[in-house]
Amino acid sequence: MLLHETLNIARKGSVFYKQNIKDLPLTSEDLLSCFRSLPIVTKEMVRARQVDMLCVKEPPAVVYHSTGLTGIPVTIFRSNNEIETMLSFYKYVFSFIETSLKWKQKPLILSTTSVHHGNMIMNPYEGHKLILGDNMEPDDDTLVKAMSILLKKHDIPGASKRVSIFGTSGHFMMLLTSYLLQSGFDFKRLAVKDIRVGIHYLSQRWRAIIQKNWNAKITTVYSLTEATGAATECYACGGLHFQPWIIPEIVGLDDEPAETGKVGVLLITNLYPLCQMQPFIRYKTNDLFVAMDKDCKLGMSYFFRGRLNNALLYEYCGKKEVELAFAPVDLYEIIDMLPDCKRHTNVTNVPSAINMEVGGIPKYKFFLKSYKNKALVTLKLELTYNSEIYTDRCREIKERIIAQLNKIAFPNLPNRNKLKVQYVVDFCKPNTLFELPIKI
Ligand SMILES: [Zn+2]
């Protein structure tokens, strides 16, 4: 019903959707198939037809720009009525949680990430939230400030004395843990039991390090400014589940629905009334996901596989068809295992941290050339040393990387054995692979 309402307000109110959505069927079964045949909305379309997309003619309550982690930011409009609906909705949800959990004191939460993330209202949390700043990236100052808040005994009416929930980015978590480990910090001094990580992907290796030292559970949260709501990691199945007011779909690189278990691009649709002024209907996020049926009572499980912009794509059949050569997350897991690989870091001056590089993002770059049934994959990897000095070690790394790449390459290609792939691993000396950090 909410989908019907969403499509209806979009078609009635916006010039853009009036062209995309013709008549709406009355039965729910027909509605779903009609919905799945609607044109996909790309970031480029949103940028080009911004005003045409709007359904409310009054001046917006707020205009946001997405963070631009995936490229040029997208502008998002929200109306007064939309903000009011969100506020009353989240108030209802959290008062329900509070009543059912019968708290004597609200848990204390520290969040280092953006306070609003595309909404005029504070991001919803089930406790009392402390704000560190509106900083997406860690720096020296925020690391030190975060520690003082985490260690402090607070005195806030109705709330616990110590911070038990810590919401942050993957990069911040890696750097903070790295800093604490190197300064010999006693993690028993902390009261954090629940770490919620968003924005950057945490490798399995880093998840294990953080979980062991902090003695806290980690929950991955996937969200984007364009969506009202998020997907949260499930302890039962290990995948992410989207909140019920978001409809997720996975499509292949040809924009056709992807089979369960195949990597594809995530489309989202926000439902009315949580989305009113600028409906996002079948919006292409450019984030890669795989949907799996894990028989979880919360429904389909979704697993993040990286960003399309960082993925290697393979063109075959005379460039008529494009397939995924590597999912960024799989590549990242391999590179992240190598201490030899130099890391990006933007923390420079934290006292007692001798080498902050361990918590940074590895420096590497992949290239692919394809010809009919042949592919040439080149990996450029920046090392912490000169490869000519440690030749045996470099040979060892090279063999290991190629063996692992063979296992993860061309995940969606049915007859990938027929493809002849040649791998080249190119070691770069320290500070010679100058690029921006790869965000995955
Ligand atoms: Zn689940």
Side-chain angles (χ1 to χ4, degrees), residues 234 236-237 241 296 298 301:
C234 166
C237 69
H241 297 298
C296 185
L298 294 174
S301 315

Side-chain angles (χ1 to χ4, degrees), residues 334 396-409 423 425:
I334 296 173
E396 201 182 300
I397 300 174
K398 199 171 180 171
E399 284 167 10
R400 188 168 140 186
I401 292 173
I402 292 175
Q404 286 169 327
L405 288 180
N406 262 316
K407 286 185 200 161
I408 61 157
Y423 295 102
V425 180

Side-chain angles (χ1 to χ4, degrees), residues 22-252:
K22 305 287 175 212
D23 295 327
L24 287 178
L26 290 172
T27 67
S28 56
E29 219 166 86
D30 291 347
L31 182 71
L32 218 54
S33 62
C34 159
F35 164 71
R36 292 205 174 108
S37 64
L38 291 176
I40 288 171
V41 176
T42 64
K43 287 174 196 269
E44 293 73 31
M45 283 181 196
V46 177
R47 286 188 206 110
R49 303 204 51 196
Q50 187 78 71
V51 178
D52 286 354
M53 277 187 83
L54 303 183
C55 285
V56 178
K57 301 300 169 215
E58 67 184 54
V62 67
V63 178
Y64 274 98
H65 290 85
S66 67
T67 55
L69 279 174
T70 49
I72 312 160
V74 168
T75 313
I76 295 129
F77 291 75
R78 303 225 193 269
S79 70
N80 286 301
N81 199 28
E82 195 170 354
I83 300 287
E84 274 166 30
T85 310
M86 279 183 215
L87 275 170
S88 54
F89 176 69
Y90 288 126
K91 197 176 165 192
Y92 167 76
V93 170
F94 288 110
S95 67
F96 176 76
I97 293 175
E98 220 168 300
T99 321
S100 55
L101 292 180
K102 296 187 181 86
W103 279 326
K104 281 188 189 131
Q105 289 171 320
K106 281 185 179 185
L108 213 49
I109 301 158
L110 173 65
S111 175
T112 71
T113 51
S114 172
V115 186
H116 306 102
H117 204 196
N119 295 316
M120 184 88 157
I121 58 169
M122 292 268 278
N123 280 342
Y125 273 104
E126 77 281 33
H128 190 90
K129 190 173 175 178
L130 300 168
I131 300 156
L132 184 66
D134 213 358
N135 196 352
M136 301 296 276
E137 292 289 343
D139 58 22
D140 306 352
D141 187 42
T142 42
L143 283 193
V144 174
K145 255 201 250 172
M147 278 319 292
S148 79
I149 295 173
L150 291 176
L151 286 167
K152 193 180 164 183
K153 269 194 180 177
H154 299 266
D155 206 2
I156 298 164
S160 312
K161 297 267 180 237
R162 299 290 308 275
V163 172
S164 61
I165 302 172
F166 184 31
T168 189
S169 71
H171 198 185
F172 196 100
M173 205 57 215
M174 288 194 288
L175 287 163
L176 181 58
T177 307
S178 196
Y179 159 54
L180 296 176
L181 283 171
Q182 285 173 75
S183 51
F185 179 78
D186 178 9
F187 283 84
K188 290 197 185 83
R189 292 172 61 200
L190 293 167
V192 174
K193 288 287 152 235
D194 188 348
I195 298 167
R196 297 176 189 176
V197 178
I199 306 171
H200 309 112
Y201 175 78
L202 265 190
S203 67
Q204 294 304 313
R205 185 178 72 84
W206 266 107
R207 273 184 81 100
I209 294 169
I210 293 163
Q211 234 148 5
K212 182 180 160 231
N213 286 287
W214 289 71
N215 192 25
K217 66 174 193 273
I218 298 177
T219 311
T220 302
V221 181
Y222 170 83
S223 64
L224 65 165
T225 320
E226 295 90 319
T228 308
T232 312
E233 187 177 338
C234 166
Y235 305 123
C237 69
L240 297 163
H241 297 298
F242 283 87
Q243 284 164 342
W245 47 94
I246 297 176
I247 301 179
E249 293 173 84
I250 310 291
V251 293

